[in-house]
Amino acid sequence: MEADCPTRTTSITKLTAVSAKPVNPGTTHSLSPMDHSMALHSLHLIFYYPESTFGSQDLEFLRVSLSEVLCSYPPVTGRLTRGRDERWEVKCNDAGVRLLSRKVACTIDEWLRTADGLEESDLTLWEDLPGDPSIWSPFRIQINEFEGGGMAIGVSCTHLHADFTSLAALFKSWSEVHRSKAIEHQPIFQKPILTGRPKPEIAKSPLIQYYETKSTASSPSVKMATATFLFSDSALKKGVLESQDRCPGTTSFDFLAALFWICIERLKNTKNFPKSSLSVCVDSRKFVKPPLPFRYFGNALHFSQLSLPKEDMCCSGVAEVTRQIHDHVTNLREEEFWSAWEWLMLRKSGSPFRMYGPELTCVNMEHLSVYEMMFQDGSRPVHVSCNIGNIEGEGLIVVMPSREGGSFARTVMVALPEEEMDKLCEDQEILQLEPIFILRQRK
């Protein structure tokens, strides 16, 4: 937030939402090795709804429907505790979800035009994991009412508990219950679906070396800035179709990951390094066999690394780098996921590390149907933000669906060291696609 721009949000109430149905005493929820590895990060989804979505009495109705949906999500209302092996687990004790309401001193349209990424953080409720989390709520919900009736609902949680697919599914279930609909994807919490598989080879493969390097790497702490780029369907169609001529099946994610990787690489003073590396994060639910259900609640992410010679990146252009990213993602194998899973399980130190970094990381969230999450039939969000806490290193790119819909339109959220963000937003190769900038953070 700029120094001369005071906060426009005011706290109204602080409550706790509990499940409408008590959980069985003694119920616990175990956390997987992948869950534990993500504990340094937090997740924040913010859904912006137009003025017509909620009435004056809907805040209390939202709390009622939240209590109903929490009956299906016992780990969400529980509290962290140490298990027998000193690893975290969730004691499902119905302690509840922290719920905060705030007023925002502007309209929703004005906010999206003038707020930056730092001010947007006022719309989510978050505190870092304390030393003793026995009374600390790992899930937080903040309901923000704008002047004129618009609303933003911010949902936050520890990355230790869930990934974005799971957090979005929780939100979707809430919106369905609020509309008196059946929950489409009843959550699955059991971990046996991730066990009983043939043990993979844990050799010094490039993937395992990548994870080992990541687990011991450190990054200088620099101030990060954020910006959101809205790309229209027509603007991306030409670039994606040209890439498909060279590489059939190319997606908007492939194209945008390549574009931003090249543009960000040009900003960095790393001439002494002949190669550039990109960490690629995808949801692995579909590429393991049998596929993990969409409703599996937890972390099912897969991180991998693609490295290319810088000279080739500069000479070959976006289309060739797009092909390289597409081939990398489509050639991911189930064995790689299980190798990473087994390596995390066998680590002598179970301590978490920064999964998003230190190299530039690009996250594919194209599969999230966030604009279908309605609390009133026909009233879709006007924007959805997707933020990850505790980011360090070279930066983060998150590719999400767009409210516009269409086969190609996407929203791209970027976090970079502050001195690089203004230069990225002036990059002519990006500007040729005529993005709309919102929630842009400046020096």
Side-chain angles (χ1 to χ4, degrees):
M1 194 188 315
E2 296 181 8
D4 61 349
C5 182
T7 180
R8 289 181 280 181
T9 66
T10 304
S11 179
I12 304 298
T13 59
K14 293 182 180 180
L15 304 167
T16 299
V18 298
S19 170
K21 179 182 177 182
V23 70
N24 292 330
T27 301
T28 59
H29 171 65
S30 63
L31 298 170
S32 73
M34 176 61 75
D35 294 336
H36 280 89
S37 71
M38 308 300 295
L40 291 181
H41 301 290
S42 56
L43 301 180
H44 311 268
L45 278 172
I46 304 175
F47 292 79
Y48 292 86
Y49 288 94
E51 294 86 344
S52 59
T53 304
F54 298 100
S56 59
Q57 301 299 317
D58 275 332
L59 186 58
E60 182 57 32
F61 293 149
L62 282 168
R63 188 182 177 192
V64 171
S65 58
L66 178 60
S67 292
E68 291 179 16
V69 81
L70 289 176
C71 298
S72 298
Y73 288 84
V76 171
T77 60
R79 296 295 181 263
L80 285 167
T81 185
R82 294 288 187 180
R84 292 181 181 178
D85 59 357
E86 289 303 306
R87 289 179 177 257
W88 292 116
E89 64 180 21
V90 181
K91 184 178 181 181
C92 302
N93 57 4
D94 290 320
V97 171
R98 199 72 72 237
L99 184 64
L100 180 73
S101 67
R102 295 180 77 92
K103 291 282 189 181
V104 185
C106 65
T107 66
I108 191 169
D109 291 337
E110 181 184 354
W111 177 271
L112 290 173
R113 284 197 313 269
T114 60
D116 62 23
L118 184 59
E119 190 176 17
E120 190 187 40
S121 65
D122 289 341
L123 303 185
T124 60
L125 177 63
W126 188 252
E127 300 167 356
D128 289 333
L129 176 68
D132 178 13
S134 57
I135 60 172
W136 179 79
S137 176
F139 285 79
R140 313 290 182 93
I141 295 174
Q142 182 169 311
I143 298 174
N144 308 276
E145 295 183 81
F146 292 92
E147 291 181 354
M151 188 178 288
I153 303 178
V155 186
S156 303
C157 73
T158 61
H159 214 324
L160 177 69
H161 279 68
D163 56 21
F164 272 129
T165 300
S166 294
L167 189 60
L170 167 64
F171 193 87
K172 182 175 184 292
S173 297
W174 181 17
S175 69
E176 289 165 342
V177 170
H178 190 79
R179 288 182 291 132
S180 301
K181 307 289 186 182
I183 295 176
E184 182 180 4
H185 299 292
Q186 283 286 349
I188 296 175
F189 300 100
Q190 294 87 352
K191 295 298 185 280
I193 60 176
L194 295 171
T195 60
R197 314 240 179 185
K199 288 195 174 183
E201 289 289 331
I202 307 297
K204 290 290 183 179
S205 67
L207 178 69
I208 299 306
Q209 291 176 356
Y210 160 68
Y211 270 81
E212 288 182 345
T213 300
K214 183 186 290 289
S215 69
T216 58
S218 60
S219 303
S221 181
V222 297
K223 189 174 182 181
M224 304 293 278
T226 60
T228 297
F229 302 72
L230 308 180
F231 293 98
S232 70
D233 197 70
S234 58
L236 289 186
K237 183 176 182 178
K238 181 175 182 292
V240 176
L241 291 181
E242 286 178 354
S243 298
Q244 287 180 353
D245 290 340
R246 178 177 297 198
C247 179
T250 295
T251 66
S252 292
F253 170 80
D254 302 328
F255 175 78
L256 289 167
L259 173 65
F260 278 88
W261 185 12
I262 291 173
C263 294
I264 292 171
E265 182 58 45
R266 288 199 290 253
L267 303 176
K268 297 187 180 295
N269 185 21
T270 54
K271 296 179 180 178
N272 295 329
F273 298 92
K275 286 192 173 185
S276 177
S277 294
L278 179 73
S279 280
V280 180
C281 173
V282 300
D283 189 296
S284 64
R285 285 169 174 82
K286 288 185 178 179
F287 76 77
V288 299
K289 295 182 178 56
L292 288 175
F294 174 81
R295 56 202 181 105
Y296 167 69
F297 195 92
N299 283 284
L301 299 176
H302 182 70
F303 290 81
S304 59
Q305 187 179 57
L306 174 62
S307 297
L308 297 176
K310 292 183 181 178
E311 186 175 352
D312 291 355
M313 290 179 66
C314 294
C315 295
S316 58
V318 174
E320 174 58 21
V321 177
T322 298
R323 184 190 68 79
Q324 294 276 3
I325 291 174
H326 176 78
D327 288 348
H328 176 81
V329 173
T330 55
N331 288 325
L332 291 172
R333 294 292 177 261
E334 180 184 12
E335 293 77 13
E336 297 177 30
F337 172 80
W338 295 118
S339 292
W341 186 275
E342 190 75 9
W343 180 82
L344 289 167
M345 185 178 295
L346 295 177
R347 282 181 72 213
K348 292 181 180 179
S349 168
S351 58
F353 52 92
R354 282 183 178 82
M355 296 293 285
Y356 301 95
E359 59 282 311
L360 183 67
T361 304
C362 192
V363 184
N364 187 349
M365 290 289 113
E366 284 187 313
H367 64 284
L368 293 184
S369 302
V370 288
Y371 288 97
E372 300 302 315
M373 298 180 187
M374 300 174 286
F375 285 84
Q376 178 178 306
D377 289 338
S379 187
R380 291 177 169 80
V382 296
H383 178 66
V384 180
S385 286
C386 188
N387 298 302
I388 300 170
N390 205 6
I391 298 298
E392 291 185 0
E394 294 185 14
L396 178 72
I397 306 162
V398 180
V399 180
M400 296 177 58
S402 166
R403 183 179 184 271
E404 178 185 340
S407 300
F408 305 101
R410 294 293 183 269
T411 296
V412 180
M413 305 186 69
V414 180
L416 284 179
E418 192 177 55
E419 66 274 9
E420 297 176 6
M421 182 57 78
D422 283 342
K423 295 178 182 178
L424 180 71
C425 293
E426 295 169 359
D427 189 284
Q428 290 304 307
E429 200 164 3
I430 293 176
L431 292 180
Q432 285 178 359
L433 297 173
E434 300 180 341
I436 297 173
F437 294 94
I438 64 172
L439 301 168
R440 179 180 171 184
Q441 194 169 317
R442 296 176 173 85
K443 292 183 181 179

